[in-house]
Amino acid sequence: MGPRFFPSRTVALYMARMFLIRTFSILAGLVLVLQTLDLLGESGRILAHAGNGDAEVWRYLSLRVPEIIAQFLPFSVLLGTIFTLSTLNANSEVIALKASGLSAHQVLAPLLLTALAVAGISFAFNDRVVSRASATLAEWKRVDYGPLPVDRGDRNNVWARTSDDLIHVRAVNGRGDAVRLTDVTIYDRQGGALIAVIRAPSGTRAEDGWRLERATRFDVQSGAQQSLGTIIAARGVGPDQFMLARVDADGLSFMQLYDAIETLKAAGRPTKALEGDLWHKISKPLSSVLMPLLGAVAAFGLARSGRLFMRAVIGMMLGFLYFVADNFALAMGNLNVYPPLLAAWAPFLLFLLIGEVVLVRTEE
């Protein structure tokens, strides 16, 4: 496979090293500039809280930098590709490779393989580091950069579903079988029509359902209300279905988000937008593999023709168009306009075809 698809080992390592150095140098520069600009706007808010000082500013940096790296790594791969291929073209190294019998795909093979390795590192970094940093930073911002509250699992205004019935709970406290519900309202429905409304000031776990104390039932048809005392209701509804009042996709790893989606499905709550975010956790890092293909237009064509700069601009425009299309599709997925798979993968597949068509039509 290596001798037939890749250039020689020496050339492949030379191109991969050049590509990595340029990519991560650009990323470091972008992170430095963007984090400086971001800190100019946030440092005042951080220091406005009594007791905050340099330590809190450095803490903010440690939480914000991973988000910037994750957001701009594909863009850095694009620029690294264009600078690498433009340099090789200007030095006639691409011409030498093609003169040796290599096709355009073989010339790009070392960059594509290196980009695939970068995509794998990016996925692991996003899953293990960025998700935790984003969750902590989001909670810190909610308290205006004050002391972070201890998460005891409390949730407010939670909805759940069992069969046709809807359940609303004003407050959920505790974890597991020790969960306690406050101000429980059960909307008893049949065929989508509301039959009765059951209310109770509190509820606790009992058997496979929930023990509601001092419950009352209001019959919609007759308008009569009766006292039920202590009853067992909402059978089949587990404690986990009351624990997901808010799901932040950016603050969860891939498997955590997958588990949250399955729990929400069991509770009868909509999950289409979260499913798009789940698949985007794979498609976003994998977009790094597209960048050598989209920037390949800068590698070919005679440098002395004076069009090398224009070719680099075209490659940059293709990359920008991909990022615009990716954000647009994800937004449409969050609005439930696009199905989750289409929202996450359509831009990737579309620009993969565009890159291949441009490469084949111009160089193959």
Side-chain angles (χ1 to χ4, degrees), residues 311-358:
R311 284 175 168 267
V313 171
I314 293 173
M316 199 174 299
M317 288 177 58
L318 287 174
F320 285 149
L321 286 175
Y322 168 76
F323 294 129
V324 172
D326 184 54
N327 290 329
F328 175 80
L330 188 62
M332 292 297 100
N334 290 335
L335 294 174
N336 292 325
V337 177
Y338 288 175
L341 284 175
L342 183 65
W345 291 106
F348 180 88
L349 296 177
L350 174 62
F351 278 84
L352 177 63
L353 293 176
I354 290 175
E356 281 292 337
V357 168
V358 171

mmCIF file of all heavy atoms in Angstrom, residues 311-358:
data_model
loop_
_atom_site.group_PDB
_atom_site.id
_atom_site.type_symbol
_atom_site.label_atom_id
_atom_site.label_comp_id
_atom_site.label_asym_id
_atom_site.label_seq_id
_atom_site.Cartn_x
_atom_site.Cartn_y
_atom_site.Cartn_z
ATOM 1 N N ARG A 311 -4.710 30.877 -6.628
ATOM 2 C CA ARG A 311 -5.053 29.494 -6.267
ATOM 3 C C ARG A 311 -5.149 29.336 -4.743
ATOM 4 O O ARG A 311 -6.028 28.634 -4.244
ATOM 5 C CB ARG A 311 -4.006 28.525 -6.825
ATOM 6 C CG ARG A 311 -4.131 28.271 -8.323
ATOM 7 C CD ARG A 311 -2.997 27.400 -8.834
ATOM 8 N NE ARG A 311 -3.259 26.942 -10.180
ATOM 9 C CZ ARG A 311 -3.857 25.784 -10.483
ATOM 10 N NH1 ARG A 311 -4.231 24.977 -9.504
ATOM 11 N NH2 ARG A 311 -4.076 25.430 -11.732
ATOM 12 N N ALA A 312 -4.258 29.978 -4.012
ATOM 13 C CA ALA A 312 -4.315 29.922 -2.545
ATOM 14 C C ALA A 312 -5.593 30.563 -2.035
ATOM 15 O O ALA A 312 -6.233 30.053 -1.093
ATOM 16 C CB ALA A 312 -3.092 30.609 -1.956
ATOM 17 N N VAL A 313 -6.001 31.674 -2.654
ATOM 18 C CA VAL A 313 -7.239 32.348 -2.254
ATOM 19 C C VAL A 313 -8.442 31.452 -2.529
ATOM 20 O O VAL A 313 -9.373 31.360 -1.719
ATOM 21 C CB VAL A 313 -7.376 33.700 -2.987
ATOM 22 C CG1 VAL A 313 -8.763 34.293 -2.755
ATOM 23 C CG2 VAL A 313 -6.305 34.666 -2.512
ATOM 24 N N ILE A 314 -8.442 30.759 -3.672
ATOM 25 C CA ILE A 314 -9.550 29.860 -4.001
ATOM 26 C C ILE A 314 -9.648 28.726 -2.978
ATOM 27 O O ILE A 314 -10.730 28.366 -2.516
ATOM 28 C CB ILE A 314 -9.378 29.297 -5.423
ATOM 29 C CG1 ILE A 314 -9.534 30.420 -6.460
ATOM 30 C CG2 ILE A 314 -10.386 28.180 -5.691
ATOM 31 C CD1 ILE A 314 -9.223 29.993 -7.876
ATOM 32 N N GLY A 315 -8.487 28.161 -2.612
ATOM 33 C CA GLY A 315 -8.502 27.111 -1.597
ATOM 34 C C GLY A 315 -9.020 27.616 -0.266
ATOM 35 O O GLY A 315 -9.786 26.930 0.426
ATOM 36 N N MET A 316 -8.643 28.849 0.099
ATOM 37 C CA MET A 316 -9.123 29.435 1.343
ATOM 38 C C MET A 316 -10.628 29.671 1.285
ATOM 39 O O MET A 316 -11.350 29.439 2.258
ATOM 40 C CB MET A 316 -8.390 30.754 1.615
ATOM 41 C CG MET A 316 -8.462 31.235 3.052
ATOM 42 S SD MET A 316 -7.437 32.697 3.315
ATOM 43 C CE MET A 316 -5.818 32.043 2.892
ATOM 44 N N MET A 317 -11.131 30.114 0.135
ATOM 45 C CA MET A 317 -12.568 30.356 -0.029
ATOM 46 C C MET A 317 -13.356 29.060 0.092
ATOM 47 O O MET A 317 -14.427 29.028 0.705
ATOM 48 C CB MET A 317 -12.838 31.017 -1.378
ATOM 49 C CG MET A 317 -12.389 32.472 -1.469
ATOM 50 S SD MET A 317 -12.667 33.172 -3.115
ATOM 51 C CE MET A 317 -14.437 32.945 -3.275
ATOM 52 N N LEU A 318 -12.835 27.968 -0.482
ATOM 53 C CA LEU A 318 -13.523 26.681 -0.353
ATOM 54 C C LEU A 318 -13.609 26.254 1.110
ATOM 55 O O LEU A 318 -14.642 25.750 1.563
ATOM 56 C CB LEU A 318 -12.783 25.616 -1.174
ATOM 57 C CG LEU A 318 -12.923 25.691 -2.695
ATOM 58 C CD1 LEU A 318 -12.026 24.657 -3.362
ATOM 59 C CD2 LEU A 318 -14.380 25.479 -3.108
ATOM 60 N N GLY A 319 -12.523 26.465 1.854
ATOM 61 C CA GLY A 319 -12.550 26.130 3.274
ATOM 62 C C GLY A 319 -13.532 26.989 4.048
ATOM 63 O O GLY A 319 -14.291 26.484 4.885
ATOM 64 N N PHE A 320 -13.560 28.285 3.776
ATOM 65 C CA PHE A 320 -14.510 29.177 4.444
ATOM 66 C C PHE A 320 -15.943 28.780 4.130
ATOM 67 O O PHE A 320 -16.819 28.802 5.010
ATOM 68 C CB PHE A 320 -14.261 30.631 4.026
ATOM 69 C CG PHE A 320 -13.048 31.246 4.656
ATOM 70 C CD1 PHE A 320 -12.325 32.221 3.984
ATOM 71 C CD2 PHE A 320 -12.616 30.858 5.908
ATOM 72 C CE1 PHE A 320 -11.199 32.794 4.564
ATOM 73 C CE2 PHE A 320 -11.505 31.421 6.491
ATOM 74 C CZ PHE A 320 -10.783 32.396 5.815
ATOM 75 N N LEU A 321 -16.207 28.437 2.869
ATOM 76 C CA LEU A 321 -17.561 28.030 2.486
ATOM 77 C C LEU A 321 -17.977 26.772 3.236
ATOM 78 O O LEU A 321 -19.148 26.619 3.610
ATOM 79 C CB LEU A 321 -17.637 27.795 0.979
ATOM 80 C CG LEU A 321 -17.625 29.046 0.102
ATOM 81 C CD1 LEU A 321 -17.575 28.668 -1.381
ATOM 82 C CD2 LEU A 321 -18.859 29.899 0.377
ATOM 83 N N TYR A 322 -17.021 25.872 3.468
ATOM 84 C CA TYR A 322 -17.358 24.673 4.237
ATOM 85 C C TYR A 322 -17.766 25.036 5.659
ATOM 86 O O TYR A 322 -18.769 24.529 6.171
ATOM 87 C CB TYR A 322 -16.182 23.698 4.280
ATOM 88 C CG TYR A 322 -16.399 22.607 5.302
ATOM 89 C CD1 TYR A 322 -17.274 21.556 5.034
ATOM 90 C CD2 TYR A 322 -15.787 22.660 6.557
ATOM 91 C CE1 TYR A 322 -17.515 20.582 5.984
ATOM 92 C CE2 TYR A 322 -16.032 21.686 7.504
ATOM 93 C CZ TYR A 322 -16.892 20.645 7.217
ATOM 94 O OH TYR A 322 -17.144 19.686 8.163
ATOM 95 N N PHE A 323 -17.006 25.923 6.309
ATOM 96 C CA PHE A 323 -17.335 26.296 7.686
ATOM 97 C C PHE A 323 -18.703 26.988 7.748
ATOM 98 O O PHE A 323 -19.474 26.766 8.683
ATOM 99 C CB PHE A 323 -16.253 27.210 8.256
ATOM 100 C CG PHE A 323 -14.918 26.536 8.415
ATOM 101 C CD1 PHE A 323 -13.768 27.107 7.898
ATOM 102 C CD2 PHE A 323 -14.814 25.329 9.073
ATOM 103 C CE1 PHE A 323 -12.548 26.481 8.034
ATOM 104 C CE2 PHE A 323 -13.597 24.694 9.222
ATOM 105 C CZ PHE A 323 -12.452 25.273 8.697
ATOM 106 N N VAL A 324 -19.001 27.833 6.748
ATOM 107 C CA VAL A 324 -20.306 28.491 6.709
ATOM 108 C C VAL A 324 -21.420 27.458 6.537
ATOM 109 O O VAL A 324 -22.440 27.491 7.239
ATOM 110 C CB VAL A 324 -20.351 29.530 5.573
ATOM 111 C CG1 VAL A 324 -21.772 30.071 5.390
ATOM 112 C CG2 VAL A 324 -19.400 30.682 5.868
ATOM 113 N N ALA A 325 -21.231 26.524 5.604
ATOM 114 C CA ALA A 325 -22.245 25.498 5.369
ATOM 115 C C ALA A 325 -22.427 24.598 6.590
ATOM 116 O O ALA A 325 -23.546 24.194 6.924
ATOM 117 C CB ALA A 325 -21.862 24.655 4.144
ATOM 118 N N ASP A 326 -21.329 24.289 7.271
ATOM 119 C CA ASP A 326 -21.405 23.430 8.458
ATOM 120 C C ASP A 326 -22.189 24.111 9.572
ATOM 121 O O ASP A 326 -23.055 23.493 10.205
ATOM 122 C CB ASP A 326 -19.987 23.102 8.930
ATOM 123 C CG ASP A 326 -19.977 22.128 10.096
ATOM 124 O OD1 ASP A 326 -20.583 21.050 9.984
ATOM 125 O OD2 ASP A 326 -19.375 22.451 11.132
ATOM 126 N N ASN A 327 -21.910 25.382 9.834
ATOM 127 C CA ASN A 327 -22.647 26.117 10.875
ATOM 128 C C ASN A 327 -24.107 26.293 10.505
ATOM 129 O O ASN A 327 -24.986 26.217 11.368
ATOM 130 C CB ASN A 327 -21.990 27.477 11.120
ATOM 131 C CG ASN A 327 -20.636 27.369 11.807
ATOM 132 O OD1 ASN A 327 -20.415 26.447 12.584
ATOM 133 N ND2 ASN A 327 -19.739 28.290 11.510
ATOM 134 N N PHE A 328 -24.380 26.530 9.221
ATOM 135 C CA PHE A 328 -25.768 26.697 8.778
ATOM 136 C C PHE A 328 -26.544 25.390 8.955
ATOM 137 O O PHE A 328 -27.675 25.389 9.467
ATOM 138 C CB PHE A 328 -25.792 27.131 7.318
ATOM 139 C CG PHE A 328 -27.177 27.222 6.737
ATOM 140 C CD1 PHE A 328 -27.976 28.329 6.985
ATOM 141 C CD2 PHE A 328 -27.686 26.201 5.948
ATOM 142 C CE1 PHE A 328 -29.259 28.416 6.459
ATOM 143 C CE2 PHE A 328 -28.965 26.282 5.416
ATOM 144 C CZ PHE A 328 -29.756 27.387 5.676
ATOM 145 N N ALA A 329 -25.940 24.267 8.551
ATOM 146 C CA ALA A 329 -26.625 22.983 8.682
ATOM 147 C C ALA A 329 -26.868 22.635 10.143
ATOM 148 O O ALA A 329 -27.936 22.114 10.499
ATOM 149 C CB ALA A 329 -25.804 21.882 8.000
ATOM 150 N N LEU A 330 -25.895 22.928 11.005
ATOM 151 C CA LEU A 330 -26.074 22.640 12.431
ATOM 152 C C LEU A 330 -27.188 23.502 13.019
ATOM 153 O O LEU A 330 -27.985 23.023 13.834
ATOM 154 C CB LEU A 330 -24.761 22.881 13.179
ATOM 155 C CG LEU A 330 -24.735 22.441 14.649
ATOM 156 C CD1 LEU A 330 -24.960 20.939 14.762
ATOM 157 C CD2 LEU A 330 -23.409 22.828 15.295
ATOM 158 N N ALA A 331 -27.272 24.767 12.593
ATOM 159 C CA ALA A 331 -28.350 25.636 13.069
ATOM 160 C C ALA A 331 -29.710 25.129 12.602
ATOM 161 O O ALA A 331 -30.686 25.131 13.360
ATOM 162 C CB ALA A 331 -28.121 27.065 12.574
ATOM 163 N N MET A 332 -29.778 24.666 11.361
ATOM 164 C CA MET A 332 -31.035 24.105 10.855
ATOM 165 C C MET A 332 -31.410 22.824 11.610
ATOM 166 O O MET A 332 -32.583 22.549 11.851
ATOM 167 C CB MET A 332 -30.917 23.797 9.357
ATOM 168 C CG MET A 332 -30.804 25.024 8.470
ATOM 169 S SD MET A 332 -32.258 26.110 8.538
ATOM 170 C CE MET A 332 -31.677 27.393 9.652
ATOM 171 N N GLY A 333 -30.391 22.052 12.012
ATOM 172 C CA GLY A 333 -30.660 20.866 12.805
ATOM 173 C C GLY A 333 -31.186 21.212 14.183
ATOM 174 O O GLY A 333 -32.083 20.555 14.711
ATOM 175 N N ASN A 334 -30.641 22.270 14.800
ATOM 176 C CA ASN A 334 -31.115 22.696 16.115
ATOM 177 C C ASN A 334 -32.539 23.212 16.062
ATOM 178 O O ASN A 334 -33.268 23.166 17.062
ATOM 179 C CB ASN A 334 -30.189 23.775 16.673
ATOM 180 C CG ASN A 334 -28.823 23.225 17.054
ATOM 181 O OD1 ASN A 334 -28.685 22.039 17.346
ATOM 182 N ND2 ASN A 334 -27.814 24.070 17.037
ATOM 183 N N LEU A 335 -32.953 23.717 14.895
ATOM 184 C CA LEU A 335 -34.325 24.180 14.714
ATOM 185 C C LEU A 335 -35.254 23.066 14.228
ATOM 186 O O LEU A 335 -36.417 23.326 13.904
ATOM 187 C CB LEU A 335 -34.350 25.343 13.711
ATOM 188 C CG LEU A 335 -33.647 26.635 14.156
ATOM 189 C CD1 LEU A 335 -33.621 27.637 13.011
ATOM 190 C CD2 LEU A 335 -34.341 27.230 15.376
ATOM 191 N N ASN A 336 -34.710 21.837 14.146
ATOM 192 C CA ASN A 336 -35.471 20.667 13.681
ATOM 193 C C ASN A 336 -35.937 20.808 12.241
ATOM 194 O O ASN A 336 -36.924 20.179 11.820
ATOM 195 C CB ASN A 336 -36.678 20.394 14.592
ATOM 196 C CG ASN A 336 -36.274 19.929 15.974
ATOM 197 O OD1 ASN A 336 -35.277 19.212 16.122
ATOM 198 N ND2 ASN A 336 -36.999 20.339 16.997
ATOM 199 N N VAL A 337 -35.225 21.624 11.453
ATOM 200 C CA VAL A 337 -35.522 21.737 10.022
ATOM 201 C C VAL A 337 -34.842 20.607 9.257
ATOM 202 O O VAL A 337 -35.425 20.033 8.337
ATOM 203 C CB VAL A 337 -35.068 23.103 9.490
ATOM 204 C CG1 VAL A 337 -35.298 23.196 7.976
ATOM 205 C CG2 VAL A 337 -35.817 24.229 10.203
ATOM 206 N N TYR A 338 -33.594 20.293 9.630
ATOM 207 C CA TYR A 338 -32.852 19.195 9.025
ATOM 208 C C TYR A 338 -32.846 17.997 9.973
ATOM 209 O O TYR A 338 -32.771 18.177 11.189
ATOM 210 C CB TYR A 338 -31.404 19.587 8.758
ATOM 211 C CG TYR A 338 -31.185 20.567 7.624
ATOM 212 C CD1 TYR A 338 -29.923 21.076 7.361
ATOM 213 C CD2 TYR A 338 -32.238 20.980 6.813
ATOM 214 C CE1 TYR A 338 -29.700 21.977 6.335
ATOM 215 C CE2 TYR A 338 -32.028 21.879 5.783
ATOM 216 C CZ TYR A 338 -30.765 22.374 5.549
ATOM 217 O OH TYR A 338 -30.545 23.256 4.524
ATOM 218 N N PRO A 339 -32.899 16.767 9.449
ATOM 219 C CA PRO A 339 -32.694 15.591 10.300
ATOM 220 C C PRO A 339 -31.282 15.601 10.887
ATOM 221 O O PRO A 339 -30.377 16.221 10.307
ATOM 222 C CB PRO A 339 -32.880 14.410 9.328
ATOM 223 C CG PRO A 339 -33.611 14.974 8.161
ATOM 224 C CD PRO A 339 -33.211 16.412 8.056
ATOM 225 N N PRO A 340 -31.065 14.957 12.037
ATOM 226 C CA PRO A 340 -29.754 15.014 12.696
ATOM 227 C C PRO A 340 -28.590 14.570 11.816
ATOM 228 O O PRO A 340 -27.555 15.252 11.774
ATOM 229 C CB PRO A 340 -29.936 14.072 13.897
ATOM 230 C CG PRO A 340 -31.402 14.084 14.182
ATOM 231 C CD PRO A 340 -32.071 14.221 12.855
ATOM 232 N N LEU A 341 -28.735 13.460 11.118
ATOM 233 C CA LEU A 341 -27.638 12.972 10.278
ATOM 234 C C LEU A 341 -27.336 13.946 9.144
ATOM 235 O O LEU A 341 -26.171 14.181 8.800
ATOM 236 C CB LEU A 341 -27.981 11.595 9.715
ATOM 237 C CG LEU A 341 -27.873 10.421 10.688
ATOM 238 C CD1 LEU A 341 -28.360 9.140 10.031
ATOM 239 C CD2 LEU A 341 -26.435 10.253 11.166
ATOM 240 N N LEU A 342 -28.377 14.506 8.542
ATOM 241 C CA LEU A 342 -28.177 15.471 7.460
ATOM 242 C C LEU A 342 -27.484 16.724 7.971
ATOM 243 O O LEU A 342 -26.572 17.257 7.324
ATOM 244 C CB LEU A 342 -29.529 15.829 6.828
ATOM 245 C CG LEU A 342 -29.487 16.778 5.623
ATOM 246 C CD1 LEU A 342 -28.775 16.113 4.456
ATOM 247 C CD2 LEU A 342 -30.902 17.184 5.222
ATOM 248 N N ALA A 343 -27.893 17.202 9.143
ATOM 249 C CA ALA A 343 -27.301 18.414 9.706
ATOM 250 C C ALA A 343 -25.815 18.235 10.006
ATOM 251 O O ALA A 343 -25.020 19.161 9.824
ATOM 252 C CB ALA A 343 -28.049 18.820 10.976
ATOM 253 N N ALA A 344 -25.429 17.038 10.459
ATOM 254 C CA ALA A 344 -24.041 16.808 10.862
ATOM 255 C C ALA A 344 -23.141 16.421 9.700
ATOM 256 O O ALA A 344 -21.969 16.813 9.656
ATOM 257 C CB ALA A 344 -23.988 15.732 11.944
ATOM 258 N N TRP A 345 -23.666 15.658 8.743
ATOM 259 C CA TRP A 345 -22.813 15.057 7.721
ATOM 260 C C TRP A 345 -22.972 15.623 6.319
ATOM 261 O O TRP A 345 -22.099 15.413 5.479
ATOM 262 C CB TRP A 345 -23.057 13.549 7.670
ATOM 263 C CG TRP A 345 -22.556 12.838 8.878
ATOM 264 C CD1 TRP A 345 -23.285 12.317 9.889
ATOM 265 C CD2 TRP A 345 -21.183 12.573 9.202
ATOM 266 N NE1 TRP A 345 -22.477 11.748 10.831
ATOM 267 C CE2 TRP A 345 -21.176 11.881 10.437
ATOM 268 C CE3 TRP A 345 -19.968 12.855 8.581
ATOM 269 C CZ2 TRP A 345 -20.005 11.472 11.051
ATOM 270 C CZ3 TRP A 345 -18.799 12.449 9.197
ATOM 271 C CH2 TRP A 345 -18.822 11.764 10.412
ATOM 272 N N ALA A 346 -24.077 16.328 6.027
ATOM 273 C CA ALA A 346 -24.291 16.824 4.659
ATOM 274 C C ALA A 346 -23.177 17.768 4.204
ATOM 275 O O ALA A 346 -22.653 17.605 3.089
ATOM 276 C CB ALA A 346 -25.660 17.506 4.567
ATOM 277 N N PRO A 347 -22.765 18.771 5.005
ATOM 278 C CA PRO A 347 -21.666 19.641 4.542
ATOM 279 C C PRO A 347 -20.365 18.872 4.305
ATOM 280 O O PRO A 347 -19.651 19.142 3.332
ATOM 281 C CB PRO A 347 -21.511 20.652 5.679
ATOM 282 C CG PRO A 347 -22.824 20.649 6.373
ATOM 283 C CD PRO A 347 -23.318 19.242 6.291
ATOM 284 N N PHE A 348 -20.076 17.917 5.172
ATOM 285 C CA PHE A 348 -18.838 17.133 5.020
ATOM 286 C C PHE A 348 -18.844 16.367 3.700
ATOM 287 O O PHE A 348 -17.885 16.429 2.916
ATOM 288 C CB PHE A 348 -18.692 16.168 6.193
ATOM 289 C CG PHE A 348 -17.453 15.325 6.143
ATOM 290 C CD1 PHE A 348 -16.271 15.779 6.698
ATOM 291 C CD2 PHE A 348 -17.467 14.082 5.537
ATOM 292 C CE1 PHE A 348 -15.111 15.006 6.646
ATOM 293 C CE2 PHE A 348 -16.324 13.298 5.476
ATOM 294 C CZ PHE A 348 -15.137 13.764 6.038
ATOM 295 N N LEU A 349 -19.929 15.654 3.426
ATOM 296 C CA LEU A 349 -20.003 14.855 2.202
ATOM 297 C C LEU A 349 -20.055 15.750 0.964
ATOM 298 O O LEU A 349 -19.449 15.434 -0.076
ATOM 299 C CB LEU A 349 -21.230 13.948 2.250
ATOM 300 C CG LEU A 349 -21.221 12.884 3.358
ATOM 301 C CD1 LEU A 349 -22.524 12.103 3.358
ATOM 302 C CD2 LEU A 349 -20.038 11.939 3.180
ATOM 303 N N LEU A 350 -20.779 16.871 1.052
ATOM 304 C CA LEU A 350 -20.873 17.785 -0.088
ATOM 305 C C LEU A 350 -19.505 18.330 -0.470
ATOM 306 O O LEU A 350 -19.110 18.313 -1.650
ATOM 307 C CB LEU A 350 -21.827 18.931 0.249
ATOM 308 C CG LEU A 350 -21.929 20.067 -0.784
ATOM 309 C CD1 LEU A 350 -22.463 19.534 -2.105
ATOM 310 C CD2 LEU A 350 -22.792 21.195 -0.262
ATOM 311 N N PHE A 351 -18.731 18.802 0.503
ATOM 312 C CA PHE A 351 -17.436 19.403 0.184
ATOM 313 C C PHE A 351 -16.380 18.336 -0.089
ATOM 314 O O PHE A 351 -15.373 18.640 -0.746
ATOM 315 C CB PHE A 351 -17.006 20.348 1.303
ATOM 316 C CG PHE A 351 -17.644 21.701 1.199
ATOM 317 C CD1 PHE A 351 -18.913 21.922 1.707
ATOM 318 C CD2 PHE A 351 -16.989 22.738 0.563
ATOM 319 C CE1 PHE A 351 -19.519 23.163 1.591
ATOM 320 C CE2 PHE A 351 -17.584 23.987 0.444
ATOM 321 C CZ PHE A 351 -18.856 24.206 0.957
ATOM 322 N N LEU A 352 -16.599 17.118 0.386
ATOM 323 C CA LEU A 352 -15.730 16.027 -0.036
ATOM 324 C C LEU A 352 -15.873 15.796 -1.540
ATOM 325 O O LEU A 352 -14.876 15.645 -2.262
ATOM 326 C CB LEU A 352 -16.080 14.750 0.735
ATOM 327 C CG LEU A 352 -15.303 13.488 0.344
ATOM 328 C CD1 LEU A 352 -13.816 13.654 0.628
ATOM 329 C CD2 LEU A 352 -15.856 12.271 1.082
ATOM 330 N N LEU A 353 -17.111 15.797 -2.030
ATOM 331 C CA LEU A 353 -17.351 15.642 -3.467
ATOM 332 C C LEU A 353 -16.820 16.843 -4.241
ATOM 333 O O LEU A 353 -16.223 16.681 -5.311
ATOM 334 C CB LEU A 353 -18.852 15.467 -3.720
ATOM 335 C CG LEU A 353 -19.475 14.173 -3.194
ATOM 336 C CD1 LEU A 353 -20.983 14.177 -3.421
ATOM 337 C CD2 LEU A 353 -18.853 12.955 -3.865
ATOM 338 N N ILE A 354 -17.034 18.055 -3.707
ATOM 339 C CA ILE A 354 -16.541 19.249 -4.394
ATOM 340 C C ILE A 354 -15.013 19.208 -4.511
ATOM 341 O O ILE A 354 -14.444 19.490 -5.576
ATOM 342 C CB ILE A 354 -16.993 20.525 -3.652
ATOM 343 C CG1 ILE A 354 -18.502 20.718 -3.804
ATOM 344 C CG2 ILE A 354 -16.255 21.757 -4.186
ATOM 345 C CD1 ILE A 354 -19.051 21.880 -3.006
ATOM 346 N N GLY A 355 -14.341 18.854 -3.412
ATOM 347 C CA GLY A 355 -12.885 18.777 -3.447
ATOM 348 C C GLY A 355 -12.385 17.742 -4.431
ATOM 349 O O GLY A 355 -11.414 17.984 -5.173
ATOM 350 N N GLU A 356 -13.040 16.591 -4.478
ATOM 351 C CA GLU A 356 -12.638 15.543 -5.422
ATOM 352 C C GLU A 356 -12.869 15.980 -6.863
ATOM 353 O O GLU A 356 -12.033 15.747 -7.737
ATOM 354 C CB GLU A 356 -13.412 14.259 -5.127
ATOM 355 C CG GLU A 356 -12.867 13.462 -3.954
ATOM 356 C CD GLU A 356 -11.506 12.868 -4.244
ATOM 357 O OE1 GLU A 356 -11.164 12.684 -5.436
ATOM 358 O OE2 GLU A 356 -10.754 12.601 -3.286
ATOM 359 N N VAL A 357 -13.997 16.627 -7.108
ATOM 360 C CA VAL A 357 -14.306 17.065 -8.465
ATOM 361 C C VAL A 357 -13.285 18.106 -8.943
ATOM 362 O O VAL A 357 -12.763 18.029 -10.069
ATOM 363 C CB VAL A 357 -15.731 17.649 -8.545
ATOM 364 C CG1 VAL A 357 -15.950 18.383 -9.871
ATOM 365 C CG2 VAL A 357 -16.760 16.534 -8.403
ATOM 366 N N VAL A 358 -12.967 19.067 -8.082
ATOM 367 C CA VAL A 358 -11.999 20.089 -8.439
ATOM 368 C C VAL A 358 -10.626 19.467 -8.699
ATOM 369 O O VAL A 358 -9.944 19.798 -9.690
ATOM 370 C CB VAL A 358 -11.903 21.153 -7.322
ATOM 371 C CG1 VAL A 358 -10.735 22.108 -7.584
ATOM 372 C CG2 VAL A 358 -13.204 21.939 -7.229
#
